[in-house]
Amino acid sequence: SEFFYFWNSWQKVTDRTRLIRGELGRIDPSAVVLTHNNLIPQVANRRYVYQFDYRPKPTKAEQAEALQPDVVILAREFWEPATQPVSATLEELLTLKYKIVTEFDGFFILKRQEKPL
């Protein structure tokens, strides 16, 4: 029932989830976001929201390069299977002019530093 869903969801609220929700709430409503499927409901009120692919190619960084999102959100617990590791993804995103603005316990928010001409 609906009650069970809400009760079950509430049981999973932790200090970490509160912190993540707070960080996601600070993202500009006009931003274009690229993230994991599980986080889309938390950022749905943004200009555009794109979801990472579940396949190894294109990589998350290649998706970011093609879509040019303002914000990329990564969360280790929602990592898509068979895709490159978090460390490699972060390294590639940093070379694409993204900067880590939030980082804790496997959760990352990166912002694009330069807009394309």
Side-chain angles (χ1 to χ4, degrees):
S1 73
E2 255 183 61
F3 175 77
F4 176 76
Y5 171 78
F6 290 121
W7 175 83
N8 194 30
S9 297
W10 180 251
Q11 297 302 313
K12 294 177 179 141
V13 174
T14 63
D15 289 339
R16 184 175 189 280
T17 58
R18 284 186 198 94
L19 184 59
I20 289 172
R21 285 182 184 167
E23 291 297 319
L24 296 177
R26 288 182 189 67
I27 296 172
D28 187 332
S30 67
V32 176
V33 177
L34 174 62
T35 191
H36 305 279
N37 180 44
N38 301 62
L39 295 174
I40 289 175
Q42 299 297 321
V43 294
N45 293 329
R46 301 311 182 278
R47 183 170 173 211
Y48 294 105
V49 179
Y50 296 104
Q51 174 183 324
F52 288 125
D53 203 327
Y54 281 85
R55 295 174 291 177
K57 287 289 184 177
T59 66
K60 290 172 176 58
E62 289 168 342
Q63 290 173 62
E65 188 172 27
L67 298 169
Q68 294 293 305
D70 303 310
V71 177
V72 177
I73 306 167
L74 305 173
R76 189 168 278 135
E77 68 264 33
F78 302 132
W79 208 254
E80 290 75 15
T83 62
Q84 72 181 23
V86 176
S87 58
T89 298
L90 286 170
E91 186 176 314
E92 284 184 21
L93 288 168
L94 293 172
T95 65
L96 292 175
K97 306 279 190 218
Y98 283 88
K99 178 181 177 184
I100 298 172
V101 295
T102 301
E103 174 182 3
F104 60 90
D105 194 24
F107 177 80
F108 303 87
I109 296 178
L110 297 94
K111 288 190 179 176
R112 188 161 36 107
Q113 297 303 296
E114 294 180 12
K115 296 232 179 211
L117 298 176

